[in-house]
Amino acid sequence: YEDGLNSRSGDGFRTLQSFSTKYANVDNTAYKQEPFAKLAHEYWGEWDYSNQHILAALEPLDSTKYGDYKTGKWASTDAVRTQIVKKVIKFQLVWLYALHELESAYVKYTDTKRTDEERY
């Protein structure tokens, strides 16, 4: 999750964690304009909500927003925390990354300043 040893991007490796934390970076104003990122931010109140949720389950930590992963009767078990991490990655983090790629492709496609090769 944090080390990213399997997904090469440019000169280095990207991480699943970076798919979430890049939205929290104050310099990424373009990311923060994406409709689905804005929608998720309005709901969760944070740009890196997936990362915070995953870290709460991994640590484990108690969180009023994400769950009592340290002290909760069921949520504190390894089995539940493992499933939470898998589900948050699968249904929140990767979903938002896929939508980002869709938004990015759409912006490039509609940019008439780009050549046809760049747009298609």
Side-chain angles (χ1 to χ4, degrees), residues 58-105:
L58 288 173
E59 287 296 327
L61 302 171
D62 285 344
S63 167
T64 56
K65 188 177 287 188
Y66 302 114
D68 294 331
Y69 297 116
K70 185 172 184 172
T71 61
K73 180 178 179 181
W74 300 106
S76 65
T77 66
D78 288 344
V80 169
R81 291 180 23 248
T82 297
Q83 285 300 310
I84 291 294
V85 169
K86 288 179 180 181
K87 301 301 191 251
V88 170
I89 288 172
K90 186 175 183 179
F91 297 116
Q92 290 181 358
L93 189 134
V94 172
W95 173 79
L96 188 59
Y97 177 72
L99 291 170
H100 159 72
E101 289 296 318
L102 180 66
E103 287 291 325
S104 178

